[in-house]
Amino acid sequence: MKYLSLGDTTDIAASCHHVTFGGTGIIMDAGMDPDQDGYAALPPFELLKSRPVDHVVVTHAHHDHLGALPVLAAEVPHAQIHMSRPTAMLAEQLLPSSARLQKRRVREGSTSTAPVFDVEAAEALSYLYDTHLLDSPFDMRGLKAEGPLAATFTHAGHVLGAVGVMLDGYDGGKRRRMFYTSDTSVRPQTILPEADFPDGPVDVMLLESTLGADPDAEETSRKSEEKRLGAMLETVLGRGGCALIPVFALGRSQDVLAMIGRYKKRGLIAEDTPVYTAGSMRGIAEIYDKTRNSTPRLDPDFEVYGVHQKRLPKSQSRLNEALSQPGIFVLTSGMLFERTPSFALAQRIVSNERHGIFFVGFSKEGSPGDRLQIAAAAGEKMVFEKGDDPVEINATVERFRFSGHAHRRDLVEIVDRVKPRTVVLVHGETAAKSWMKDNIEVAHPDVRVIIPEQGQELEL
C-alpha cells in the first residue's frame, strides 16, 4: 500500500491524495487552492504519469476538494469517478459556476490567468459520475488489482453529501483496510447529524487536521455560539440596523438560515424581519431541501426555503430602502473576498454604527474578512481596496465559531474509535499536524503517525 500527497501539505489548500492499494490506483479528492489562480491552484497532476489511476473518489463538494475535477478527468479519462448523489447534484451546479467565475475574473481584469476549464467541460462531467449510497460497498478493483477491493461511504457530517471512505481489499497478499475521514464533524450541526465511523481496527487512516492548531475551538460549544449570535442579532435589529452575515455558499449559509428560522420561532427576532440571500447559495438550498428525506438529517421536516428569503436588491435605490429598516443579509463570500456581495455590502455599512457584521466561519490570514476583524478589535480604520481611503469601523464586528470540522480533541478521539495502526495527517497547517502528531503519540504510543510531504510517496 502506497500513499502520495498531491495537495499542499503545509496548509489547508487543494486536497488531493493518490493511493496504490494492491495494484489499484485511486485518487481521493481533486481540489483547487482558493488562494491561487489558474494552473497554480491545481495539484501537480504530472506526478500521476508513472502511477496507476483506476478510480477517482470525491468526498464532498467544497472547492478545495472538488474544484480541479474537470482538469483531472481530462488527465485520466479512463478513470471512474465516484461520489455520493448529493455531491453529484452539487457538482453539477458548482463546477460550471466555477468555470463562469474564472472567465469573468479575466474579463474584469482581476486576474490575467486563463481559466483551467470551461463550462462545457464541467457540464460534460456529470454523465461520468457513479453515485453510491452510504454504507453500501461497491467494487473498486483496478486493471492490475491483486484481488477483491471494495469501497464504502460513511456519513462524514461537515456538509451535505460529505463522506468518509473505507477501502477493504487485498494488498501484498493480505487483507488490508484503509479509512479516509475527509473533512468531518463528530458533533451535530444545525441541519446535519454527527459523523459515522467504521468499526476498527484499520491498517491506515488518513485523518484531517484542519483545527489542530486552534485551541479555542475545543473550548467553544455550538449551543453557546448560537445563543450569542441570536443576542447580537436582536441588539442590532432592535436599534434599527441591518446585520451582514458573510457565509460560504455550501454548508454555512444553510446552517445560518436554519438558525435564523429558530430565532424567529422563539420570538427572539420578529417573524417579518426580511432575510436577503443571493447567488449560488440559493440553488444549493434547493438541493438541501430536495434531499432532506434521503440523507442524514436532525430534522427531515426542516426546509431551508421554509425560512422566507428575499433576493438581494440589485438597484441602489432598492438596496438603500432595504438598509433603512431592520434586516439580515446572508451573503457570500465568507471571508469577504473582493468582488463578492458580502464585500460590497461590508464596504457600504461598516461606518454606520446602526449595523453589524457577524463572521460565522474561518477567515484566512490576510483575507479582507481577517483584516476587518483585526482592525475592528484594534479600533483602527480599514482600507478595503488598494488605492481607497481608510474608513472608520463603527459597525459592530463580531466573530462566532461555527465549524463543520472536528476540533483537535475530537480528532484524537476518532483515533480511539477507528483504531488505526498508522495515521497519515492530511489537510492542515504544519502547526496543526505537529500538535496532532504529538498528542496521538502520547495517547496511542503504538500508532505510527506520519506527516507527509507533497510529492513524497510513502510505503504504508
Side-chain angles (χ1 to χ4, degrees), residues 145-163:
E146 287 185 18
L149 175 59
T152 305
F153 287 163
T154 60
H155 171 60
H158 192 56
V159 296
L160 177 65
V163 297

Side-chain angles (χ1 to χ4, degrees), residues 106-411:
V106 173
R107 186 174 64 248
E108 293 173 345
S110 57
T111 182
S112 59
T113 305
V116 296
F117 60 86
D118 57 25
V119 171
E120 291 73 18
E123 291 179 340
L125 270 187
S126 63
Y127 297 101
L128 304 179
Y129 300 153
D130 288 337
T131 62
H132 307 279
L133 299 173
L134 296 174
D135 306 314
S136 299
F138 55 94
D139 187 17
M140 284 283 281
R141 285 174 295 180
L143 292 175
K144 298 181 179 180
E146 287 185 18
L149 175 59
T152 305
F153 287 163
T154 60
H155 171 60
H158 192 56
V159 296
L160 177 65
V163 297
V165 185
M166 171 64 85
L167 298 175
D168 189 337
Y170 286 85
D171 181 273
K174 296 181 180 179
R175 187 176 176 184
R176 305 285 188 188
R177 302 172 84 212
M178 171 185 280
F179 180 63
Y180 173 36
T181 65
S182 187
D183 292 355
T184 191
S185 175
V186 306
R187 299 174 188 271
Q189 299 181 63
T190 314
I191 298 175
L192 302 180
E194 67 276 13
D196 294 325
F197 296 96
D199 294 329
V202 301
D203 295 282
V204 177
M205 180 165 70
L206 309 184
L207 177 64
E208 74 131 317
S209 52
T210 305
L211 296 182
D214 188 346
D216 294 334
E218 62 192 279
E219 304 295 334
T220 307
S221 74
R222 176 173 285 268
K223 184 176 181 180
S224 65
E225 289 297 271
E226 184 173 334
K227 184 177 180 180
R228 191 165 68 92
L229 175 60
M232 290 302 303
L233 285 172
E234 184 181 26
T235 297
V236 168
L237 298 171
R239 68 191 185 208
C242 291
L244 166 62
I245 306 180
V247 292
F248 300 107
L250 172 56
R252 195 54 41 75
S253 62
Q254 293 76 40
D255 259 10
V256 166
L257 289 167
M259 282 186 262
I260 291 171
R262 287 183 185 177
Y263 299 146
K264 288 190 173 186
K265 284 184 178 179
R266 295 171 185 166
L268 192 65
I269 61 178
E271 180 65 37
D272 60 355
T273 301
V275 179
Y276 299 94
T277 58
S280 62
M281 60 183 286
R282 295 178 66 90
I284 293 170
E286 290 182 8
I287 297 173
Y288 263 74
D289 289 348
K290 286 178 181 177
T291 58
R292 63 191 173 88
N293 292 312
S294 59
T295 58
R297 300 296 168 102
L298 292 173
D299 178 10
D301 292 332
F302 170 76
E303 296 182 68
V304 180
Y305 267 112
V307 180
H308 181 67
Q309 301 161 49
K310 295 183 176 183
R311 288 188 180 274
L312 176 69
K314 292 185 177 180
S315 71
Q316 291 302 310
S317 60
R318 289 186 59 213
L319 182 57
N320 287 339
E321 182 181 352
L323 291 171
S324 69
Q325 55 190 328
I328 303 172
F329 293 77
V330 183
L331 304 175
T332 56
S333 75
M335 300 189 198
L336 289 190
F337 283 129
E338 292 86 349
R339 295 177 175 83
T340 63
S342 65
F343 181 85
L345 191 64
Q347 279 184 301
R348 191 180 183 104
I349 71 173
V350 72
S351 297
N352 191 321
E353 66 278 358
R354 287 191 303 118
H355 301 314
I357 302 174
F358 301 145
F359 292 90
V360 292
F362 173 73
S363 291
K364 194 174 182 66
E365 184 178 352
S367 68
D370 177 61
R371 292 191 291 109
L372 176 57
Q373 292 173 66
I374 291 173
E380 298 174 349
K381 295 182 179 181
M382 172 163 170
V383 176
F384 273 80
E385 294 188 270
K386 189 175 181 180
D388 287 353
D389 292 331
V391 296
E392 295 276 0
I393 302 173
N394 297 319
T396 302
V397 178
E398 290 282 342
R399 181 193 174 190
F400 302 85
R401 290 182 173 273
F402 297 105
S403 180
H405 293 270
H407 64 64
R408 61 194 194 178
R409 295 291 176 188
D410 284 341
L411 292 170

Side-chain angles (χ1 to χ4, degrees), residues 25-71:
I26 303 167
I27 295 286
M28 289 193 282
D29 287 332
M32 287 184 74
D33 186 341
D35 291 334
Q36 299 290 335
D37 290 329
Y39 286 92
L42 300 175
F45 291 138
E46 63 272 11
L47 296 179
L48 299 174
K49 290 182 178 179
S50 60
R51 295 177 170 86
V53 180
D54 301 289
H55 300 273
V56 176
V57 178
V58 176
T59 60
H60 64 282
H62 275 150
H63 187 67
D64 59 341
H65 292 254
L66 169 74
L69 185 59
V71 180

